[in-house]
Amino acid sequence: METVAVLASTHQKSLPNLPAVADYTTPDTLKKLPQKGIGAAPALMAFQNDVMPYLSGSPGPRYFGYVTGGANPASILGDWLVSASDQDVGSAGDSLATQISLQTLAWLLDLFELNRDQFEGVFTTGATASNLLAVLAAREWAGDEFNVSVAEEGLSAAPNPLFFAGSPHVSLQKSMSIAGYGRNSFEPVELLPGRDVMEPDDLKEKLAAAGKQRKIVLTSAGTVNTGDFDDLNRVADICAEHNAWLHVDAAFGMFSRCLPGLKALSSGLEKADSITGDSHKWLNTPYECGFFFTKHMSMLERGCGTSAIYLESTSDEPEFLSRTIESSQRFRALPIWMTFKAYGREGIKSVIQSSCDHAKKLAGWIEKSINFELLAPVVLNIVVFRFKPHDYSDSASLDRLNEELLAALLQDGGIRITPGERNGKRGFRAAFCNWMTTDEDIEFAIQTLERTALAMRKCQ
Ligand SMILES: *Cc1c(COP(=O)(O)O)cnc(C)c1O
């Protein structure tokens, strides 16, 4: 175990120098299952030699793809101890783990300035699972109107509710597919011009037109494309007027609430019926670590309820196995609890602040650059931009040029950005969430962009 500690700490220190995209060849997967074991220490050596060199530097400071957090040191320690202590927090009454989980959920509510008396939560494997829990809870609520528990009697026992969404994250669509409604079975609400979020007046009209049917509204606090926010205050009022369930996918955007200057972006979040959050992104805890909050825990417990004599507990603590997908479940709270203990609210705030500063710094350079242009205003930690040399104007060739530059950047491997798109213009997207990223990494990113673009033009 001591060897692992050294190995892990060396690996973490090397992250700034590891390529964001690993260079590997697919091993012979047909190799036979080992019959005789070699022992744990040689197995570790095998991992160190055969696997480790080919892992990605994605938890490192220059990985700006998707919305990818790293793993802060305290959370890694916590994560190891999750395995070493191997508690099952599905059932309560055996250990302090349930209480620590509840405490960590309460701390998260405090961090986001949400009311502990209104919301209850559960840990999940990530925002996708949290979004699924939202659909399952709202599904029970919708069935209630007809005195039906959909969880007990199935979808055909009650009329389907109507779902409304502007630009839902793909995981919400996946959740609707898993829950049996179909990933495209939502009413698309018009988007505000040039933005990623709903036109509230259109939502209002569509809810009014839906009459008495049960309605579920899926909104965003931090869209994955540009980090944009629905006007939650307005949307919540419209939902209240039409008796609709309001779900907010706030996977990473929720963390903007830590900063006084950005809290207004998600004002109204407190009016939601359910909220999705991720901690393996901006809180920089290892995968798989997400959370879900709702004001209607009894609905979720109907959707995820699990009872059997062998599972009965005499504890009056909540049974997490009846609040989420997994029955047996790891002590997911611990890496978050360790993060709170080690860095406190102040430490967490400073990571959020520096990510937003990094996004601003890159955007500031792009605005001044003669070769690059911003495709969307920077709301939070995401920059959407493209390469646009002055001698290019036709849009198809610009799109192609941007695809070529992205391929060249991947080849270079120094930084990782992913494709972006705005109003039909193709470009790049850089998202900042990693605790390790410094101003020098942004300088490095700028130089890499300039150098790679220049080299590409020279070859043309
Ligand atoms: C990342 C993300 C998700 C999906 O989260 P996972 O943790 O990958 O399951 C959902 N919604 C939003 C807004 C996200 O950014």
Side-chain angles (χ1 to χ4, degrees):
M1 289 201 187
E2 292 74 11
T3 321
V4 176
V6 175
L7 192 61
S9 100
T10 315
H11 180 70
Q12 202 180 42
K13 286 193 196 104
S14 72
L15 281 175
N17 306 317
L18 278 188
V21 180
D23 187 9
Y24 63 95
T25 47
T26 310
D28 179 4
T29 45
L30 296 178
K31 272 187 193 153
K32 288 214 181 95
L33 165 77
Q35 294 301 316
K36 272 206 166 95
I38 53 175
L44 182 59
M45 285 280 278
F47 170 78
Q48 193 176 348
N49 296 330
D50 303 345
V51 183
M52 209 155 181
Y54 309 106
L55 298 181
S56 145
S58 58
R62 295 182 200 143
Y63 193 96
F64 312 128
Y66 316 103
V67 187
T68 307
N72 71 61
S75 74
I76 295 179
L77 304 184
D79 206 60
W80 288 347
L81 293 170
V82 172
S83 296
S85 61
D86 201 22
Q87 303 292 292
D88 175 8
V89 292
S91 314
D94 287 347
S95 85
L96 193 65
T98 302
Q99 286 302 325
I100 295 298
S101 302
L102 291 170
Q103 179 179 82
T104 310
L105 287 163
W107 284 352
L108 283 166
L109 287 170
D110 293 350
L111 179 71
F112 302 127
E113 297 184 18
L114 293 169
N115 193 331
R116 284 189 187 197
D117 297 330
Q118 289 183 339
F119 287 97
E120 285 183 276
V122 66
F123 289 104
T124 65
T125 50
T128 302
S130 303
N131 280 334
L132 176 60
L133 296 186
V135 175
L136 297 182
R139 184 172 87 171
E140 285 308 292
W141 166 84
D144 245 11
E145 170 92 348
F146 308 96
N147 291 320
V148 165
S149 164
V150 180
E152 298 296 329
E153 296 169 56
L155 286 176
S156 58
N160 280 352
L162 291 177
F163 290 85
F164 299 82
S167 54
H169 189 268
V170 285
S171 65
L172 262 167
Q173 291 184 268
K174 178 169 167 171
S175 300
M176 289 176 62
S177 136
I178 299 173
Y181 294 112
R183 63 178 84 236
N184 295 322
S185 64
F186 63 90
E187 299 268 323
V189 179
E190 274 173 30
L191 300 181
L192 287 170
R195 292 182 53 190
D196 259 354
V197 291
M198 286 183 196
E199 158 66 84
D201 290 332
D202 187 52
L203 175 70
K204 195 176 159 105
E205 267 174 39
K206 292 207 157 98
L207 291 185
K212 286 205 172 337
Q213 273 180 282
R214 282 288 204 182
K215 306 161 197 81
I216 298 166
V217 177
L218 308 173
T219 62
S220 307
T223 60
V224 78
N225 290 326
T226 60
D228 207 350
F229 286 71
D230 270 302
D231 180 346
L232 294 176
N233 270 319
R234 279 236 31 224
V235 170
D237 291 346
I238 296 168
C239 288
E241 198 181 315
H242 295 278
N243 187 28
W245 177 290
L246 172 60
H247 173 64
V248 185
D249 180 352
F252 64 94
M254 198 148 156
F255 288 88
S256 63
R257 293 173 71 83
C258 301
L259 303 182
L262 292 181
K263 194 167 168 234
L265 286 172
S266 61
S267 170
L269 182 69
E270 63 284 354
K271 298 179 188 168
D273 294 289
S274 54
I275 305 173
T276 281
D278 240 341
S279 50
H280 56 218
K281 289 178 177 166
W282 229 347
L283 200 57
N284 282 269
T285 58
Y287 299 113
E288 302 166 343
C289 206
F291 47 91
F292 174 73
F293 291 118
T294 179
K295 288 179 181 157
H296 313 276
M297 187 51 88
S298 62
M299 295 297 142
L300 182 62
E301 285 183 333
R302 262 182 15 200
C304 295
T306 317
S307 69
I309 291 195
Y310 85 97
L311 291 171
E312 277 174 12
S313 146
T314 50
S315 164
D316 54 9
E317 297 172 331
E319 298 277 351
F320 287 120
L321 89 165
S322 288
R323 294 185 166 190
T324 189
I325 301 166
E326 295 79 18
S327 296
S328 307
Q329 47 194 275
R330 54 198 270 117
F331 189 6
R332 274 204 172 91
L334 192 54
I336 306 180
W337 187 85
M338 286 287 287
T339 301
F340 276 120
K341 279 283 192 189
Y343 313 114
R345 189 197 285 263
E346 289 305 318
I348 293 168
K349 264 170 81 169
S350 77
V351 172
I352 308 297
Q353 183 68 60
S354 70
S355 302
C356 294
D357 292 346
H358 292 148
K360 279 213 191 85
K361 188 173 161 89
L362 178 64
W365 171 75
I366 292 168
E367 274 178 330
K368 283 195 236 112
S369 158
I370 48 164
N371 287 321
F372 288 86
E373 74 172 1
L374 273 185
L375 291 180
V378 174
V379 185
L380 202 60
N381 59 335
I382 297 176
V383 187
V384 189
F385 62 106
R386 70 170 174 174
F387 182 33
K388 189 178 180 301
H390 59 87
D391 52 340
Y392 270 76
S393 55
D394 134 68
S395 66
S397 48
L398 267 172
D399 283 358
R400 209 169 332 107
L401 188 71
N402 275 272
E403 280 165 28
E404 282 164 18
L405 180 55
L406 191 63
L409 286 165
L410 258 186
Q411 182 78 33
D412 177 85
I415 59 168
R416 177 75 163 119
I417 55 176
T418 39
E421 192 258 355
R422 206 65 215 148
N423 303 325
K425 297 172 181 168
R426 282 191 71 95
F428 319 109
R429 187 182 155 284
F432 300 91
C433 330
N434 192 293
W435 67 280
M436 279 183 163
T437 307
T438 61
D439 282 354
E440 287 76 62
D441 294 311
I442 308 303
E443 290 296 339
F444 181 91
I446 290 171
Q447 281 160 20
T448 307
L449 283 167
E450 277 201 301
R451 174 174 47 76
T452 317
L454 195 72
M456 201 178 83
R457 292 301 305 275
K458 279 204 179 126
C459 297
Q460 278 175 343

